[in-house]
Each structure stands twice: as structure tokens, then as C-alpha cells.
Amino acid sequence: MEQAEIGLIGLGVMGANLSLNIAEKGNKIAVFNRTPEVTKKFYADAGELQGQIIPCETLEQFVASIRPPRPIIIMIKAGDPVDQQMELLKPYLSNGDIMIDAGNANFRDTMRRFDNLKDSGLTFIGMGVSGGEEGARHGPSIMVGGTEESWKRVEKVLTSISAKFHGEPCVAWLGENGAGHFVKTIHNGIEYADMQMIAEIYGILRDGLGMSASEIGEVFGRWNAGRLNSYLIEISEKVLKATDPISGKPMVDVIVDAAGQKGTGKWSVIEAQNMGVAATAIEAAVAGRVLSSQRTERLAAEKLFGLPKASKPQDGMAFLADLENALLAAKIGAYAQGFAVMAAASKEFNWNLPMPIIAKIWRDGCIIRSQFLDEITSAFTKDPDVPNLIVTPAFADMVKETDGALRRIVSYATMSGLPVPALASALSYFDAYRRGRGTANLIQAQRDFFGAHGFDRLDGVDKHHGPWGSGLATLA
Ligand code: NDP
């Protein structure tokens, strides 16, 4: 029997759809699932794609069905299950075989797994896959980390199944070991910020302007035809216009306002801190989800404090235009922060992450896909080493055009008691980033006062101490 080009373990939501995508693009694939009934059902449902699929009930049969060196995608629950599955698989593998973790792994686990296999003759790829179920089935965005040699073995299959933006595949090898999973983590961090900002704008439209869900859907629909064109705005319109078949009310109005999270947003924030990069909009988005989940406390606090009355803006049309521009300005801040975190990690781990290529492979297939990413691609292609997206000529022009609107919207929301943590933090990030003379001189003086840390002077003298020795003695 003809051997499979690739194997896949884990026929859950993502694995099943990815396998069908692989088979549909003309690649023969061997599949295995811990629970054999799942494999049987998957194969029975595969219809005309059955000819491209080898269903396997044992790992031995599975491995023997794949052409060496064998690329094996592991698409199972992230964390310990991946280590367990790798251990079970190892005895059947030979030199050069490649285990590919395609789940949402913490990139530090990926680095560990990669290192552990170094002297075994086997190799490891950490592969971020974005686009959810639909993306997996019809074309995800794929971020690959591993050796260049192992990438060459899988490049053809992965290119065939990836999303295409105007014909260009949304898959790339981004660097060694944890590079792919790190970039996927930051992708998700940006996604958190993007979603939070859209939700904050929704809050202003709902609670400030008193608009109905379907009216807000209309607004998003119009924006989707402009510069905010993106998958997240597109689905927000659809969601806002949907009706609950049970109550007949708008669907969003019957959904509990407590957002879940699985960890990639939190990892983005932790890694931003580890790299010493300010990622305030992403942090605000993660904190926003945390606060959203404290629903009982929020309901009690509303009883205690009440809510400020939101004033209706004088000129509704001008206000809507401001909201659109404010969202764009804040979005620029969030993406700038995400790319800055990746630039820092690239240096720290010697990945040499290709920023224009990362923007390119996010243009389609993934959750944050948008027109905007095409503009980021152009900006980074012209200047791949720019320290911050905000200062590229195209984005600097956009910021100059839209930051006033963001300022007005954040002011309005603040005066109306409407929470806009991500929008406000993006604005403050910009204000802090573009101010040549900040206020940390006072912090340095305080640190020197209580801890004798010393400070650098503007006249060029370093490690200087202030004249507060006697003050220290008095306070002590
Ligand atoms: P599902 O819950 O649908 O499927 C989980 C799969 O993992 C099943 O095949 C299950 O096998 C297998 N599994 C669980 N524990 C073990 C174990 N200890 N050993 C072997 N196999 C095990 O998950 P998804 O398909 O949604 O997610 C898979 C991965 O993809 C996760 O890392 C997830 O974070 C990531 N991901 C998910 C996305 C999504 O939109 N859903 C998007 C991008 C990435 P069994 O049938 O035997 O239980």
C-alpha cells in the first residue's frame, strides 16, 4: 500500500478538520486517536476523502504507514498529554522522524521538548495553527518553529493546506525551536486586545448612545467596508444581528458577560514582562476578561455605587466617525506592542524572526486576519528593523490622523463611567512613547532617596546621588 506523506494524532475538533484539509489537498495521511472509536467514526464520515486516509488503531501500524522521515502532527490537548503522547510514540520512530506539536503549547515547553530530542536522532517542530475549526478545515495560518531541515520535509504539505492571501500561502518557517509557538502566543495576545477594544466600542454604543444590538451590528457592517475591515469586525456584525431562537431577543443580550480564557493571553503578558516590553493594551485585555468573570462582585458593586449617567453626544455622525478612528488608533497601539514583544524575544532567543513574513501569514486564515495586516506587511517590508510600528511612515500618518479621535472617545467614556481599559491604555502608551521628557526622573530620585540606587544626569554624569543624605538619616 502507498505510504502516507504525513501522520496526525488526535482527531478532536482541530485534528479532524486539519486531517480532512490535508487529504483534500491531495496528500495521503495516516491518522490515529487515543480512543479508536473516534478514528472509526472519523473515517466513516470522511466520504470521498477516504481514499487519501489511512485510519490506524495502533501506534505501530500508524508509524509503519508513513513515509520516512516521518512528519507526525500531534493535535491533542496541550500540556502533559503532549509529553505522554510523545513518550508512547518514541519507541516506534526512527532517525530523522519529526514530531510536530500543533496544539496551543507554551513555547517554553516547546523549547524543552526540542532540546530533549536533540541527541535522540528525532526532531521536533512547534507549530502554531490559527483559524479555529473553519481555518483548520479550509486553510489556517500556520507558524512553524524548528530546524530548517525539518521544515523542508513538511513545507509542501503545509503550504498546500494553508490559507492563501491573494495566492500567497499563509505559512512560514519562522525560526528554531520555540519560534512558531511564541509567535502564535503573541498572535493570540493581539487577538485578545483586538476583541477587547471592539467590545469596549460596543459598550459605548450600547450604554452611551443607547443603540440596540442590531443597530450596532449595522455600524460594524459599515466599518467592515472601510479601514477596519477584518474578520473580527465581520463576525461582530453577524453576532450582533443574530436573534436568540429561544427568547426572540438579540442573541448577545442573553449571553452572560463573563469571558473565558485558556492561557495564551496571559502567556503573552508574562512574556512581554519577561522581555521588558510594554504591552499595555494586551495586559488591559487580559485584565478585562478577569474582571468580566467577577460578575457577582460587579453586580454587588453596581448596587453600592450606582452608575454615572452617560451624556448623549451632540453630533451623532461625528461621534461615530470618531469611534471608528479611535478603534483604528488603538488597534495600531496593540499591534505595535505585539510586534515589539516579538522583536525582543527574537533577540533574546536568537530566532531572527522575520516581521514582514509574520504580518504576511496573518493576513488570512487566522482570527486577526485583516486588511490592516497587509498595511503592516508593507511597513515592515520597507523597514524590517524599525523599533516600533508606530514610527513607520505609513503608520505615523495614520496615528497623526486618528489619535485625536481616540483622545475624544476615551475622554467621553471616562466622563460617562464607561470602562475602556484597552482603548485608554493604547492612548497612554502612545502618549508616553512620543514624549521625549517623561516623568521617570522623579522615580529615579525617589529610588536614590530610599535605596541609594544612583541616577544618570542629563549633563552626562552617571551613577550620581542626590543631596538627600541628611533627609535619609532624618527619616530612618
Ligand atoms: P478537542 O477537545 O476537540 O480534542 C482533544 C483531542 O486530544 C482528542 O483527540 C483527544 O483524544 C486527545 N487527547 C486528550 N488527552 C489526551 C491524552 N492524554 N493522550 C492522547 N490524546 C489525548 O481539542 P481541539 O481539537 O479543540 O484542540 C486540540 C489542540 O489544538 C489544543 O492544544 C488546542 O489548544 C489547539 N487549538 C484549538 C483551536 C480551536 O479553535 N479549537 C485553535 C487552535 C489551536 P480522545 O478522543 O481519546 O479524548
Side-chain angles (χ1 to χ4, degrees), residues 10-15 33-35 38 75-78 81 84-85 103-104 129 132-133 184:
L11 294 168
V13 174
M14 291 298 284
N33 194 76
R34 176 181 63 169
T35 313
V38 175
M75 193 51 149
I76 64 174
K77 196 166 180 253
Q84 291 157 12
Q85 186 61 71
N104 271 336
V129 178
E133 183 177 355
K184 171 73 198 309

Side-chain angles (χ1 to χ4, degrees), residues 186-207:
I186 301 304
H187 164 282
N188 285 22
I190 293 173
E191 179 185 312
Y192 269 58
D194 222 337
M195 292 168 76
Q196 173 71 22
M197 287 168 173
I198 294 172
E200 289 173 12
I201 296 283
Y202 156 72
I204 294 173
L205 291 166
R206 185 189 69 183
D207 301 327

Side-chain angles (χ1 to χ4, degrees), residues 107-108 182-183 186 268 270-279 336-353 355 358 380 384-388:
F107 85 104
R108 293 188 184 271
F182 187 85
V183 171
I186 301 304
S268 297
I270 291 170
E271 294 309 334
Q273 299 281 348
N274 282 338
M275 305 298 151
V277 176
Q337 292 172 4
F339 275 95
V341 178
M342 289 191 289
S346 181
K347 273 200 195 114
E348 169 116 6
F349 298 106
N350 291 318
W351 284 329
N352 206 10
L353 291 178
M355 299 306 162
I358 292 171
F380 278 128
D385 299 318
V386 69
N388 193 305

Side-chain angles (χ1 to χ4, degrees), residues 1 23 175 182 185 197 238 240 358 360 364 383 409 445:
M1 186 172 62
F182 187 85
T185 298
M197 287 168 173
K238 289 187 178 148
L240 284 157
I358 292 171
K360 246 185 184 185
D364 210 342
D383 192 352
I409 293 303

Side-chain angles (χ1 to χ4, degrees), residues 232-253:
L232 283 171
I233 290 285
E234 179 193 325
I235 64 165
S236 300
E237 177 195 1
K238 289 187 178 148
V239 161
L240 284 157
K241 287 184 175 171
T243 304
D244 171 31
I246 297 173
S247 64
K249 293 180 181 167
M251 194 69 236
V252 280
D253 289 353

